[in-house]
Amino acid sequence: MIPAKVDDYTDLQKIGEGTYGVVYKATKISTGETVALKDIRLESEDEGVPSTAIREISLLKDLKHPNIVRLHDVINSDRKLTLVFEYLKQDLKKYIDSCKDPIPTRQIKSFLYQMLRGVAYCHEHKVLHRDMKPQNLLINKKGELKLADFGLARTFGIPVSSISKEVVTLWYRPPDVLLGNLKYGTSIDIWSTGCIFAEMYIKKPLFRGKSPKNQLKKIFKKMGTPSKEAWPSVVKLPGWSEYNFQEYPGKTLQELVPTMEDPEGFDLLSRMLQCNPAKRCSAKEAMKHSFFNDIKK
Amino acid sequence: MNSNPLKPLPRKIPKEIHPKKMNKINRIKRPLDNITNIQTTLYENSLKNPRIGNKDKKGKKKEKKIETKTPKLIESTIQNNSSIQMVLTPNCTSTISQESPIKQKTTNTDPSLVAEYSEEIYQQFLENEKKYQPSIDYIEETQNMINEKMREILVDWLIETSQEHEFHSETLFLAINLVDRFLSKYSVSKQQFQLLGAACLMIASKYEEIYPPSIDDFVYICMNTYTKNNFVVCETKVCNELHFDFTVITPIHFLRRFLRITEGSDLILMVLSNYLCELQLLDYSLLKYPPSLIAAAAIFAARGILQKNIWDPALLSDCPYSIAQLRTCVFDLLRLFESAKNSESKACFSKYSGTELYNVALLKSPSLENFF
């Protein structure tokens, strides 16, 4: 393989700031293909290659799936690493914001199904994404959706040993992790996916907390404070006694997501938004749900 | 792709080294650069090192700190076993004591066990385990200055350094895999050999650890033999030459599953098979065995040492090997187990001779006849 060079690309246009540097849209000269270039600066006075980049690159190299953004190449030039990704025009956040009318149910179904398929593939490859949110889901004109930004992803052994709690953007972080559960597994990505599912209907994030405690309060107010009976191990989590939440009765999903009319949809959403991680469904189970009966798979 | 203000900031280790940490680093910093004189100075150094030299084989324990830490692999292996559960928070002081082997029935509802995907994951481990393995004769084929003994010394030092930083076992195994793979492609000078080892450990810790040490820590561990810039350059070189293929399957990945499968799994069996897997890292000639074979052989060898029914049918039917295929690897591990007692490479042996790990390294070797 001939090492790729930055010179292989032309028409660079800055399109955003990524986790560790600038992101450009560019054209590969030899093929005319549009790609996204993500720069990572390496300063010798700094820490070398960031651990997020080490994980993202090595994980994405092994993940090849239509619902996961493809990493074509890594270019290493002096003091800079450039990741070459397939280019997708929009992210789900911008798409949701740009829709004036409600998003058609068919479209939501299709996006959700693709999300779950990408997540299931990751989980089968012992990878937790850990940062599922609309900004990290890329879409194109064909209606394809792909998981991107694996900067926080990591592999898990079986079982998952204690891993970082500094994961998942607050609004999409599950209650067990907010309460200090360090032994989370694949269920972490399912909660986030459930939040995004609801968000596609209500067009704003379902739980918008300002701090971990406030985030939990928002969740419990809407979903009801979990009881010890429904979630016995919750009392062992450090945040449980520390925060000592009052017992909110919670609302129904119909009240929270009024525009979702489909009873099957409510059933699926309720399986994903379980406070108790052991009760949350898996991505594989969710894909089999009757909510998806009428879409092409 | 755009940055989000809510994204958690990357964790960084503070620039200044905490005095306590400094002590720790002081204890293990040890020059390997002078590898020309390796046969002499290094061994002297290692003997001078208080942590390495103090073997008391007669079983008389030096006063050790009472609180001990359970190695992370063992901790999670334990959590993994459905019949044994330990309530351990990360890095907490372990409550293992020999009197209370902590056996509690647990229901299998721990979400972190990801039971649903375990079969797929196991199959992928088997399919992919050979993808990122080193060449098995690189010392003869590629290296001009590095020999088996020097590799052993470097690995011993990496084991010790990982121990001191309480790295996960995965980190150590990955680091050594990276060293071997790099050496499979490029000849390295004696002067650069330790830098390569340390840089690979740094990459592995960035991949596996929640809080990887800073480059400054690594510079310090190597006693300022190399500059920060040396590390950055070496890291980039390793990343490039190995194409960032760091999602590597190691014996540890299989060991966890096999320990769950094997009959009569208990803490001592876990600790002992972990020990055998770690020992194996020291021996260049064992690179020929794939990770799954090493993990399975480690358990059978451990069963032999512990005088359990050696060829456990449950594990035999789960692992993809026959007794005939396993036997040579088991014998190699038993040979290492015995020779470790008198080896100059002490890091692994010392760790597993301690009471907190049930002195497994001091157990008597079984007669090989038992394995026929």
Side-chain angles (χ1 to χ4, degrees):
Chain A
M1 192 177 77
I2 307 157
K5 297 188 298 290
V6 182
D7 299 350
D8 297 342
Y9 299 90
T10 182
D11 293 338
L12 268 66
Q13 296 169 42
K14 183 172 164 179
I15 51 173
E17 297 270 338
T19 320
Y20 18 62
V22 183
V23 183
Y24 302 91
K25 178 184 171 184
T27 308
K28 185 167 186 176
I29 298 169
S30 58
T31 60
E33 188 185 3
T34 309
V35 295
L37 302 179
K38 198 164 161 182
D39 272 351
I40 301 167
R41 281 175 302 271
L42 306 176
E43 318 277 348
S44 63
E45 60 274 19
D46 206 37
E47 287 300 315
V49 184
S51 57
T52 45
I54 285 191
R55 287 183 191 153
E56 173 158 33
I57 299 169
S58 56
L59 293 179
L60 273 179
K61 282 196 71 176
D62 284 339
L63 297 176
K64 288 179 183 159
H65 187 270
N67 297 116
I68 293 172
V69 71
R70 268 303 292 278
L71 174 64
H72 290 310
D73 236 320
V74 181
I75 305 169
N76 206 330
S77 44
D78 191 37
R79 300 269 167 257
K80 202 176 76 176
L81 265 181
T82 305
L83 312 193
V84 184
F85 287 101
E86 70 176 307
Y87 176 77
L88 284 91
K89 197 162 183 211
Q90 211 174 26
D91 66 52
L92 187 63
K93 170 89 173 69
K94 290 194 189 114
Y95 173 78
I96 294 173
D97 291 347
S98 71
C99 286
K100 298 216 170 56
D101 301 317
I103 304 172
T105 306
R106 278 185 65 81
Q107 186 64 68
I108 292 178
K109 264 187 205 188
S110 165
F111 281 156
L112 180 65
Y113 190 77
Q114 295 185 68
M115 246 180 261
L116 288 166
R117 207 162 54 181
V119 168
Y121 178 84
C122 288
H123 291 174
E124 283 164 15
H125 285 73
K126 71 175 174 95
V127 171
L128 306 178
H129 185 282
R130 306 200 301 178
D131 199 16
M132 290 283 290
K133 58 181 174 186
Q135 293 90 324
N136 288 342
L137 300 168
L138 303 181
I139 56 176
N140 64 16
K141 276 194 190 127
K142 289 187 265 179
E144 291 171 328
L145 177 145
K146 302 185 187 221
L147 276 54
D149 208 333
F150 281 67
L152 286 180
R154 62 158 294 140
T155 60
F156 54 92
I158 309 172
V160 183
S161 46
S162 301
I163 38 190
S164 172
K165 62 178 175 183
E166 298 302 317
V167 296
V168 185
T169 308
L170 196 56
W171 296 343
Y172 303 92
R173 206 180 290 174
D176 52 305
V177 177
L178 288 163
L179 286 167
N181 179 19
L182 291 172
K183 278 171 58 190
Y184 54 80
T186 52
S187 63
I188 186 172
D189 291 330
I190 301 301
W191 176 273
S192 315
T193 308
C195 293
I196 300 167
F197 183 18
E199 186 168 340
M200 288 192 285
Y201 284 98
I202 59 178
K203 297 168 84 178
K204 55 178 199 273
L206 183 58
F207 311 113
R208 279 184 292 181
K210 295 183 185 73
S211 64
K213 184 180 176 185
N214 181 254
Q215 180 72 17
L216 276 165
K217 193 171 159 186
K218 293 244 152 86
I219 294 172
F220 292 161
K221 270 190 159 171
K222 289 184 170 170
M223 307 302 294
T225 309
S227 68
K228 285 176 219 163
E229 290 72 38
W231 185 5
S233 58
V234 68
V235 293
K236 290 189 208 150
L237 295 175
W240 181 252
S241 41
E242 185 190 326
Y243 296 140
N244 195 21
F245 287 102
Q246 66 180 89
E247 286 174 26
Y248 300 108
K251 296 181 180 164
T252 63
L253 289 176
Q254 282 79 357
E255 290 172 280
L256 297 175
V257 192
T259 48
M260 182 195 285
E261 282 152 356
D262 191 338
E264 299 288 349
F266 285 119
D267 184 71
L268 177 57
L269 184 59
S270 73
R271 288 166 197 267
M272 300 174 83
L273 292 181
Q274 288 288 333
C275 286
N276 179 355
K279 291 190 174 170
R280 239 168 268 156
C281 67
S282 71
K284 247 170 32 178
E285 285 161 2
M287 285 166 67
K288 291 182 199 138
H289 196 276
S290 49
F291 181 62
F292 298 115
N293 279 354
D294 59 344
I295 66 159
K296 266 197 274 174
K297 288 170 189 168
Chain B
M1 285 238 185
N2 53 342
S3 72
N4 185 301
L6 295 168
K7 189 182 284 279
L9 290 169
R11 290 300 298 248
K12 280 205 175 162
I13 302 285
K15 284 272 184 260
E16 68 277 11
I17 302 174
H18 191 272
K20 217 174 137 189
K21 201 166 179 186
M22 202 73 168
N23 278 335
K24 193 190 268 180
I25 296 169
N26 267 328
R27 271 188 286 145
I28 59 161
K29 61 169 183 163
R30 191 148 56 92
L32 273 190
D33 61 318
N34 219 345
I35 226 146
T36 353
N37 305 324
I38 211 149
Q39 313 296 350
T40 52
T41 20
L42 204 77
Y43 294 152
E44 282 166 27
N45 270 338
S46 70
L47 289 173
K48 278 179 211 150
N49 185 324
R51 283 203 72 263
I52 307 185
N54 71 350
K55 278 296 85 7
D56 194 340
K57 288 193 193 114
K58 293 181 184 102
K60 197 179 162 223
K61 292 285 126 31
K62 302 240 164 85
E63 274 302 305
K64 271 203 147 186
K65 51 184 179 169
I66 299 162
E67 297 180 331
T68 59
K69 289 197 171 162
T70 311
K72 287 173 185 169
L73 166 66
I74 294 167
E75 176 192 324
S76 42
T77 313
I78 293 161
Q79 288 162 358
N80 183 7
N81 189 303
S82 57
S83 66
I84 301 174
Q85 189 198 35
M86 295 195 52
V87 189
L88 281 181
T89 48
N91 291 327
C92 80
T93 329
S94 140
T95 50
I96 287 194
S97 78
Q98 276 163 311
E99 288 75 43
S100 61
I102 312 151
K103 288 192 180 177
Q104 278 177 4
K105 279 269 172 216
T106 60
T107 50
N108 214 350
T109 53
D110 184 343
S112 71
L113 291 179
V114 288
E116 169 149 29
Y117 296 103
S118 66
E119 272 317 305
E120 278 100 336
I121 292 169
Y122 175 56
Q123 288 311 322
Q124 262 154 36
F125 282 171
L126 284 175
E127 272 165 41
N128 294 327
E129 67 171 324
K130 290 182 186 144
K131 215 158 129 191
Y132 305 129
Q133 294 304 325
S135 125
I136 60 170
D137 54 2
Y138 68 76
I139 286 183
E140 298 80 358
E141 295 298 318
T142 314
Q143 299 304 318
N144 303 317
M145 288 179 254
I146 307 301
N147 60 35
E148 280 187 47
K149 188 69 205 170
M150 285 153 70
R151 180 191 175 277
E152 180 186 319
I153 293 164
L154 182 75
V155 170
D156 187 54
W157 178 76
L158 288 171
I159 292 176
E160 193 186 1
T161 309
S162 303
Q163 250 166 265
E164 289 296 333
H165 281 83
E166 291 161 13
F167 287 156
H168 291 84
S169 296
E170 285 88 341
T171 308
L172 172 67
F173 278 72
L174 175 58
I176 293 166
N177 169 281
L178 300 182
V179 171
D180 286 329
R181 279 163 63 203
F182 190 86
L183 293 176
S184 301
K185 300 176 96 176
Y186 295 95
S187 180
V188 169
S189 69
K190 289 171 187 172
Q191 290 73 26
Q192 299 291 307
F193 194 44
Q194 189 184 14
L195 173 64
L196 173 67
C200 288
L201 188 60
M202 182 169 95
I203 294 170
S205 70
K206 283 182 183 178
Y207 183 87
E208 286 289 351
E209 299 294 324
I210 300 172
Y211 304 120
S214 66
I215 297 190
D216 286 333
D217 289 339
F218 283 99
V219 169
Y220 197 81
I221 292 165
C222 296
M223 291 187 77
N224 295 310
T225 311
Y226 310 106
T227 64
K228 210 169 164 173
N229 193 48
N230 290 153
F231 270 94
V232 173
V233 171
C234 186
E235 178 188 52
T236 312
K237 183 140 179 76
V238 174
C239 287
N240 279 338
E241 300 308 335
L242 301 184
H243 309 293
F244 286 89
D245 290 324
F246 303 145
T247 307
V248 174
I249 318 278
T250 69
I252 294 301
H253 292 88
F254 290 102
L255 195 60
R256 292 194 169 150
R257 177 192 173 91
F258 292 159
L259 280 169
R260 213 167 53 233
I261 301 284
T262 197
E263 194 265 329
S265 202
D266 58 22
L267 272 176
I268 297 189
L269 184 77
M270 289 175 201
V271 174
L272 184 55
S273 44
N274 279 315
Y275 172 52
L276 294 170
C277 280
E278 271 186 45
L279 266 187
Q280 159 273 138
L281 293 169
L282 290 160
D283 193 330
Y284 166 76
S285 72
L286 269 54
L287 285 178
K288 63 180 180 236
Y289 297 123
S292 55
L293 180 61
I294 289 182
I299 293 181
F300 290 117
R303 296 185 71 93
I305 295 167
L306 297 172
Q307 300 179 338
K308 289 173 187 276
N309 167 26
I310 295 174
W311 301 112
D312 168 37
L315 181 54
L316 269 181
S317 69
D318 190 66
C319 82
Y321 302 104
S322 66
I323 293 181
Q325 289 170 304
L326 287 155
R327 201 178 274 129
T328 25
C329 186
V330 169
F331 286 174
D332 277 331
L333 293 178
L334 290 171
R335 167 180 60 76
L336 273 178
F337 177 75
E338 197 45 41
S339 63
K341 292 170 182 165
N342 302 305
S343 165
E344 289 130 338
S345 301
K346 286 286 178 204
C348 198
F349 176 80
S350 307
K351 169 175 154 194
Y352 286 92
S353 317
T355 19
E356 66 269 31
L357 293 179
Y358 304 96
N359 322 96
V360 290
L362 304 174
L363 288 167
K364 242 184 87 194
S365 292
S367 156
L368 294 188
E369 287 157 25
N370 300 345
F371 289 85
F372 285 95

